[in-house]
Amino acid sequence: MQKEIPNPYPDGNCFYCGAQNRDGLQLKFWLDDETGEVSTEFLPGPPFIGQGKILHGGIMIGLLDEIMGWTSHVASGEMAVTSDIEVKFLRPVYLGLPVRVTCRVTAAEGPRVHMEAALVNAEGVTCSRAKGTYHILPRERYDRLVSGS
């Protein structure tokens, strides 16, 4: 069964998930209790164009990075930041067709959470894959980091 994940980010301004960012995507994320997989859906439109009718690769990387952040939070209950991410582009993603982005934890070692994510088109074809590691931070360190102090 899927349930919506409450947004853990305090200011609501994130381009990808911030409910307060009128220019952002305002994505919602879901947890499948049975598989432990986190997912979101997105309908790419003209503002996110790369070349021709293809979704810009930077937006695809951002979607994969964002879902890893949410997945690490679900897995740890803590805030975390990207340590590394490796993305493989397999097929183009076309504007006007919905995509589904999924992520699962593959390992956790101390403050590091390792994950795999995929961006899948409406036909169920995987268009890009990512492997990444997030580093869990104590709340006070996270707050200092994001505030720039």
Side-chain angles (χ1 to χ4, degrees), residues 20 37 61 65 70 76 91 96 101 104 121 126 129-130 136:
Q20 304 304 316
E37 184 176 84
I61 292 169
D65 182 52
W70 280 71
S76 70
R91 303 227 178 342
V101 189
R104 64 183 182 82
N121 69 16
T126 300
R129 291 189 185 281
I136 299 166

Side-chain angles (χ1 to χ4, degrees), residues 1-143:
M1 179 172 155
Q2 288 202 345
K3 63 180 179 184
E4 186 174 345
I5 304 166
N7 192 323
Y9 300 99
D11 65 12
N13 289 320
C14 173
F15 175 75
Y16 286 92
C17 70
Q20 304 304 316
N21 188 335
R22 294 182 321 178
D23 298 322
L25 305 184
Q26 300 180 357
L27 297 175
K28 294 185 185 288
F29 292 81
W30 306 87
L31 172 64
D32 185 316
D33 282 330
E34 294 176 15
T35 65
E37 184 176 84
V38 174
S39 65
T40 191
E41 295 183 358
F42 173 59
L43 180 61
F48 310 109
I49 196 165
Q51 297 180 26
K53 295 181 181 179
I54 296 174
L55 177 63
H56 194 286
I59 298 295
M60 287 189 267
I61 292 169
L63 288 166
L64 293 162
D65 182 52
E66 184 73 10
I67 200 157
M68 286 185 185
W70 280 71
T71 303
S72 66
H73 180 73
V74 167
S76 70
E78 302 289 335
M79 304 308 278
V81 294
T82 310
S83 291
D84 64 70
I85 185 170
E86 176 186 328
V87 177
K88 302 279 187 192
F89 295 101
L90 307 170
R91 303 227 178 342
V93 172
Y94 292 99
L95 301 180
L97 300 171
V99 296
R100 186 166 195 268
V101 189
T102 61
C103 186
R104 64 183 182 82
V105 172
T106 57
E109 301 166 349
R112 289 179 176 74
V113 179
H114 305 278
M115 293 161 283
E116 292 181 351
L119 192 148
V120 178
N121 69 16
E123 290 82 38
V125 176
T126 300
C127 297
S128 58
R129 291 189 185 281
K131 291 182 180 182
T133 303
Y134 263 64
H135 188 89
I136 299 166
L137 298 176
R139 186 62 193 224
E140 58 279 352
R141 185 169 174 211
Y142 174 84
D143 289 344

